[in-house]
Amino acid sequence: MLDAVETPALVLDRAKVERNCARLRDRLAAMGVTSRPHLKTAKSLEVARIAQGGKPGPITVSTLKEAEWFFERGFDDILYAVGITPSKLQRAAALERAGCRLGVILDGVQAARALRDFVQAECVRLPALIEIDTDDHRAGVRPGAAGLLEIGAILGNTLDGVMTHAGNSYTSKSVSEIRGWATREREGVVHAASRLRSAGHEARVVSVGSTPTALFGDSFEGVTEVRAGVYMFFDLVMAGLGVCETGDIALSVLATVIGHQAEKGWVITDGGWMALSRDRGTAAQAVDQGYGVVCDASGHPVDDLIVADANQEHGVVASRSGRLLDPVQFPVGTLLRILPNHACATGAQHGAYHVVAGSPVVEARWERFNGW
Amino acid sequence: MLDAVETPALVLDRAKVERNCARLRDRLAAMGVTSRPHLKTAKSLEVARIAQGGKPGPITVSTLKEAEWFFERGFDDILYAVGITPSKLQRAAALERAGCRLGVILDGVQAARALRDFVQAECVRLPALIEIDTDDHRAGVRPGAAGLLEIGAILGNTLDGVMTHAGNSYTSKSVSEIRGWATREREGVVHAASRLRSAGHEARVVSVGSTPTALFGDSFEGVTEVRAGVYMFFDLVMAGLGVCETGDIALSVLATVIGHQAEKGWVITDGGWMALSRDRGTAAQAVDQGYGVVCDASGHPVDDLIVADANQEHGVVASRSGRLLDPVQFPVGTLLRILPNHACATGAQHGAYHVVAGSPVVEARWERFNGW
């Protein structure tokens, strides 16, 4: 039972994870495109298996440590989806030599030359995707840029295709805006692939991905694979976008009431930002959820309570409407569960999931890992 | 050398830690008050030893795991400075039975009754400090509140004194404002102790603490010990408050340039929020430092560069003034060091310190830990 778990602790609802994973998996299967789940959120073997419906398959990772960890556990088709630097090439090559198909990404001529020289000198195969900037938010070369063909020419037969991530879809105000980002993401990366092919380069892989665009894109024509990660758990940022319901959020932080500030109507818990993370992703949305939505031990939201403020090991629970909370309703020792703003950030504050399925019964403890 | 360290990674300048620790230690020694350093920031044996000038002494912790970890390494006078809950009492008692003097804190009658009943039933000694609210920001009972004496009466001979933390000193706009918080902190907790003593209760310990008030308080009259933590490392929030200079900040995150967005004048690194934390503590200060101040590999700030935005494993380096950065100046593979907004949050994203002393030579690797 959750009341035997020392707080603060991370709780994962397996039934919700299964439902969330089936939702995207079924959608992509119906649209005839491969799913390459991103494991940067979950960093868990059990969750990876659920995401792939029990069958092994291709995955995406955000660090070489993730690549090594999942390769050791049987995953051998991995895309490392952060721009590769020369200093990381030996570590990547060690994975390839051990039998892993490790794809890498890059978006500039310097990185392309370093990769080409390395694979030639070391006789390794590290197939590369060129990162395409389709949303003007971070990395990548523009679909129409001259540099795209220059990078393709440098890479030669190390080029495997193109990839993009419409991270700006997270700022959408409506589902139709998300669909707009999905179209822009797909059209941009397909255009880049087509330019490379016209210039005589191979571009076998056309990879897109973000949870909002994966769940709402109208078409994946020309796309070969979709990467998404946070859809496995969902979070308040995704709920604020309309991508999921609050009830779909599988991740929460278990906390205990440690005191009250009766005059202010606050309840103080041991779930501070160390347990919740400093992420305030809903601050820019229509409804600011503070450091998270407060639920009872069964995972049901309690009125309009949020974690209004947080220190390292203290959470301040308050009503969003300003109503004063009655200490009698939340005695010292009461267990609460906090739904997080951002599952990737909150998960990273913990070393394991306490697994439930719709009730406070803990059915398993699943390891997760951090670091690089 | 730092160029052999895989990035992102945490770097700690030992020489700066020693200087910062000596500054507070010498100040408190001159003022005749005991230092009980808070190890929630460092979570490191080597740093704890520096903080205490090489001699063993009393410490403060924010979790029972910290208490256990430091007790196993020879620290046996520990204050657990987060309100104790009934569910944590057995774990606390195990430490006491193993020979640790473990102090606990609380601020309400429910917690006081639970503690009193537990120590009587289990025949353990867990001396308790009553938390006093001197700054109106979080937990604690007001110095003049009737409840203070009620809690004292419940605790009986388990009462050991009073403690407070002027967390609101972090919002100061000037050193004189910090001094004001220090006065308010000291007067409030001394008043609370005096009320308890007048009512016939023992209040041996009068404990105050926060880095700003510890470094700028004019007097510690009536105070028996001072707790502070972030002063060992300092950070941009402390520099913004005027508590330290940027050059005093001992902690940084080593990152590698992975690409550029030349049109926007951005440099992209592998130091994202997973390595820096989501803390944006300078956002509310006069100078918003984004996700951190960018330094070269030797730790010297580069012009007015900050990490203007961050994703999980990507940092976007830009000029605060909007000047476009020249990719030629920051080729792929360039090492940078990022000074953090908040050392407690940034440290927690890592498992070890790579220790330097004013140069890029790595002289040691010091373990740090996380979790509860």
Side-chain angles (χ1 to χ4, degrees):
Chain A
M1 298 291 287
L2 284 177
D3 57 11
V5 173
E6 184 121 1
T7 57
L10 198 59
V11 176
L12 189 65
D13 190 308
R14 177 185 51 77
K16 292 184 181 181
V17 174
E18 287 174 353
R19 197 171 70 202
N20 295 340
C21 287
R23 176 177 163 199
L24 184 63
R25 201 170 55 237
D26 293 351
R27 179 170 210 269
L28 297 181
M31 295 178 90
V33 65
T34 298
S35 171
R36 182 184 283 278
H38 204 316
L39 295 169
K40 79 187 182 78
T41 310
K43 304 204 185 200
S44 149
L45 178 61
E46 292 81 0
V47 176
R49 286 179 175 152
I50 294 173
Q52 297 188 315
K55 302 182 294 285
I59 62 170
T60 311
V61 299
S62 69
T63 67
L64 286 176
K65 178 170 174 179
E66 281 173 58
E68 291 160 353
W69 198 92
F70 283 106
F71 177 66
E72 282 164 17
R73 286 156 183 81
F75 295 78
D76 60 4
D77 179 1
I78 302 179
L79 177 66
Y80 169 44
V82 175
I84 188 83
T85 54
S87 57
K88 293 189 170 87
L89 286 169
Q90 281 293 1
R91 190 169 168 189
L95 268 169
E96 194 266 355
R97 290 185 178 118
C100 183
R101 186 192 189 285
L102 183 74
V104 298
I105 74 166
L106 51 82
D107 68 354
V109 296
Q110 290 175 351
R113 284 198 195 104
L115 177 64
R116 178 202 57 195
D117 294 349
F118 180 84
V119 298
Q120 286 176 358
E122 300 276 335
C123 294
V124 291
R125 193 173 137 63
L126 291 170
L129 305 184
I130 302 174
E131 183 165 14
I132 308 299
D133 178 9
T134 58
D135 68 339
D136 205 33
H137 100 286
R138 186 176 68 195
V141 54
R142 301 290 169 88
L148 176 68
L149 300 183
E150 189 184 354
I151 297 169
I154 293 167
L155 288 174
N157 62 9
T158 291
L159 178 67
D160 200 29
V162 287
M163 63 83 73
T164 192
H165 163 61
N168 253 337
S169 64
Y170 282 41
T171 62
S172 300
K173 305 287 179 210
S174 66
V175 164
S176 77
E177 216 178 307
I178 294 173
R179 290 208 173 92
W181 283 115
T183 301
R184 189 169 156 181
E185 181 181 47
R186 184 183 70 78
E187 289 179 353
V189 75
V190 167
H191 177 55
S194 142
R195 286 184 64 221
L196 285 166
R197 288 169 188 149
S198 297
H201 303 300
E202 193 166 7
R204 191 181 60 83
V205 174
V206 181
S207 178
V208 301
S210 84
T211 285
T213 58
L215 284 166
F216 288 96
D218 292 313
S219 161
F220 293 103
E221 203 183 326
V223 167
T224 65
E225 67 178 31
V226 175
R227 313 176 322 279
V230 80
Y231 74 96
M232 301 172 199
F233 295 170
F234 285 129
D235 54 28
L236 293 170
V237 166
M238 289 295 128
L241 281 174
V243 167
C244 68
E245 302 292 326
T246 303
D248 295 326
I249 300 173
L251 196 72
S252 60
V253 171
L254 187 71
T256 302
V257 172
I258 62 172
H260 308 90
Q261 279 287 20
E263 282 173 45
K264 293 178 174 166
W266 291 349
V267 172
I268 313 292
T269 79
D270 63 0
W273 59 250
M274 188 65 87
L276 296 167
S277 92
R278 269 294 200 195
D279 200 286
R280 289 283 291 102
T282 56
Q285 294 190 325
V287 179
D288 183 345
Q289 306 282 21
Y291 282 90
V293 164
V294 176
C295 301
D296 61 24
S298 299
H300 302 111
V302 181
D303 305 330
D304 65 342
L305 303 197
I306 60 171
V307 179
D309 201 0
N311 294 120
Q312 186 161 335
E313 300 290 350
H314 295 81
V316 176
V317 172
S319 154
R320 201 190 290 108
S321 63
R323 181 175 52 85
L324 301 189
L325 304 186
D326 181 359
V328 174
Q329 217 190 318
F330 303 96
V332 167
T334 302
L335 285 179
L336 298 171
R337 278 165 66 185
I338 318 299
L339 302 180
N341 281 319
H342 188 172
C344 309
T346 301
Q349 303 300 109
H350 298 264
Y353 301 100
H354 298 83
V355 182
V356 300
S359 82
V361 177
V362 179
E363 59 178 35
R365 185 182 183 281
W366 290 349
E367 185 189 356
R368 75 182 307 292
F369 62 98
N370 291 308
W372 293 271
Chain B
M1 297 291 286
L2 284 177
D3 58 10
V5 173
E6 184 121 0
T7 57
L10 198 59
V11 176
L12 189 65
D13 190 308
R14 177 185 51 77
K16 291 184 181 180
V17 174
E18 287 174 352
R19 198 172 68 202
N20 296 340
C21 287
R23 177 179 162 197
L24 184 63
R25 201 171 54 237
D26 293 350
R27 179 171 210 270
L28 296 182
M31 295 177 89
V33 65
T34 299
S35 170
R36 183 185 281 278
H38 204 316
L39 294 169
K40 78 188 184 79
T41 310
K43 303 202 185 202
S44 150
L45 177 61
E46 292 81 358
V47 177
R49 286 179 175 152
I50 294 173
Q52 297 187 315
K55 301 181 295 284
I59 62 170
T60 311
V61 300
S62 68
T63 67
L64 286 176
K65 178 170 174 180
E66 280 172 59
E68 291 160 354
W69 198 92
F70 283 106
F71 177 66
E72 283 165 17
R73 287 157 182 80
F75 295 78
D76 60 4
D77 179 1
I78 303 179
L79 176 66
Y80 168 45
V82 175
I84 188 81
T85 56
S87 57
K88 293 190 170 85
L89 287 169
Q90 282 293 358
R91 189 168 169 190
L95 268 168
E96 194 266 353
R97 289 185 178 119
C100 183
R101 186 193 190 283
L102 183 73
V104 299
I105 73 166
L106 51 82
D107 68 355
V109 295
Q110 291 176 352
R113 285 197 194 104
L115 176 65
R116 178 203 56 195
D117 294 350
F118 180 85
V119 298
Q120 286 175 358
E122 300 274 337
C123 293
V124 289
R125 191 174 138 64
L126 292 170
L129 305 184
I130 302 175
E131 183 166 13
I132 307 300
D133 179 9
T134 57
D135 67 340
D136 205 33
H137 100 288
R138 187 175 69 195
V141 55
R142 301 290 169 88
L148 175 68
L149 301 184
E150 189 184 354
I151 297 169
I154 293 167
L155 288 174
N157 63 7
T158 290
L159 178 67
D160 200 28
V162 287
M163 63 84 74
T164 192
H165 163 61
N168 252 337
S169 64
Y170 282 41
T171 62
S172 300
K173 306 288 180 209
S174 66
V175 164
S176 78
E177 215 177 307
I178 293 173
R179 291 208 173 92
W181 283 115
T183 302
R184 188 169 157 180
E185 181 181 46
R186 183 183 70 78
E187 289 180 351
V189 75
V190 168
H191 177 55
S194 142
R195 286 185 65 221
L196 284 165
R197 288 170 187 147
S198 298
H201 304 298
E202 193 166 9
R204 191 182 61 84
V205 175
V206 180
S207 177
V208 300
S210 84
T211 285
T213 57
L215 284 167
F216 288 95
D218 293 311
S219 161
F220 293 103
E221 202 184 325
V223 166
T224 65
E225 66 178 32
V226 175
R227 312 175 323 278
V230 80
Y231 74 96
M232 301 173 201
F233 296 170
F234 286 128
D235 53 28
L236 293 170
V237 166
M238 288 297 127
L241 280 174
V243 167
C244 67
E245 301 293 325
T246 303
D248 295 325
I249 300 174
L251 196 73
S252 60
V253 172
L254 187 72
T256 303
V257 172
I258 62 172
H260 308 90
Q261 279 286 21
E263 283 174 45
K264 293 179 175 166
W266 292 348
V267 172
I268 314 291
T269 79
D270 63 0
W273 58 250
M274 188 65 86
L276 297 167
S277 92
R278 269 295 200 195
D279 199 286
R280 289 284 289 101
T282 55
Q285 293 190 326
V287 179
D288 183 346
Q289 306 281 22
Y291 282 89
V293 164
V294 177
C295 300
D296 61 25
S298 299
H300 302 111
V302 181
D303 305 330
D304 65 342
L305 304 197
I306 59 170
V307 179
D309 201 0
N311 294 121
Q312 186 161 337
E313 300 290 351
H314 295 80
V316 176
V317 171
S319 153
R320 200 190 290 109
S321 62
R323 181 174 53 85
L324 302 189
L325 304 185
D326 182 359
V328 174
Q329 217 191 319
F330 302 95
V332 166
T334 302
L335 285 180
L336 299 171
R337 278 165 67 183
I338 319 299
L339 303 179
N341 282 318
H342 188 171
C344 309
T346 301
Q349 303 299 109
H350 298 264
Y353 301 100
H354 296 84
V355 182
V356 298
S359 82
V361 176
V362 179
E363 58 178 37
R365 185 182 184 280
W366 290 349
E367 185 190 356
R368 75 181 308 291
F369 62 98
N370 291 308
W372 293 271

